[in-house]
Amino acid sequence: MKHFFVHSVLGLASVCVASAAATPESVCSALAEGLSKQQEILAGVTDAASSAAAVGTLQDNFRYLNSLHDQMETNELWRHIENTPELKTRLINYLQQITIHLARIEQAEYYGCEPLRELLYPMLNPSSSRPDEEQPE
């Protein structure tokens, strides 16, 4: 789980390459919206049916969050987050809730949903991109 949290924070750090139209406020708002939606989707995964239903929605959410990478320069975004304590706290809270849901879903063995396992596995095991790869001990 520590890997996911670190991976998520690093993902936040890389949200960016330059774009004149975006502001730190707009990118952070979009980031918070995306993380809130991801937390909501994961909270709804409670059985095999909801697991299967969540796959497409999570894929869309991941694409949305990844699209933010092109919005702004990383240092500018981090400066804004660091200088806006309530925003930083809100983003951390979303990440903590997402981590809790991921741990629950992983412990439930993805409710038997292989597509969900394949989608979430890289987040939970950043050293491997495929669920069938052996992890070094």
Side-chain angles (χ1 to χ4, degrees), residues 8-129:
S8 295
V9 171
L10 291 175
L12 281 175
S14 64
V15 168
C16 314
V17 177
S19 171
T23 64
E25 294 82 5
S26 67
V27 174
C28 285
S29 177
L31 179 60
E33 177 185 321
L35 291 174
S36 173
K37 181 66 176 169
Q38 187 174 111
Q39 186 272 323
E40 179 183 308
I41 296 165
L42 292 170
V45 174
T46 57
D47 56 24
S50 60
S51 295
V55 172
T57 309
L58 280 170
Q59 288 171 327
D60 291 343
N61 178 263
F62 293 167
R63 278 191 288 274
Y64 173 76
L65 289 170
N66 285 332
S67 76
L68 299 177
H69 290 277
D70 297 329
Q71 301 287 316
M72 171 167 295
E73 198 275 323
T74 302
N75 290 332
E76 185 178 356
L77 183 66
W78 271 114
R79 233 182 340 273
H80 179 72
I81 292 170
E82 286 296 326
N83 291 318
T84 314
E86 63 279 356
L87 170 65
K88 183 178 179 180
T89 299
R90 193 167 83 215
L91 293 175
I92 289 170
N93 286 336
Y94 287 140
L95 290 173
Q96 288 173 334
Q97 289 301 309
I98 289 167
T99 301
I100 290 167
H101 289 302
L102 287 171
R104 174 184 54 79
I105 293 167
E106 183 180 43
Q107 186 173 11
E109 297 180 4
Y110 307 92
Y111 298 97
C113 181
E114 189 60 27
L116 184 65
R117 179 176 177 259
E118 289 176 10
L119 181 64
L120 298 180
Y121 191 87
M123 293 174 70
L124 295 163
N125 301 282
S127 63
S128 173
S129 61

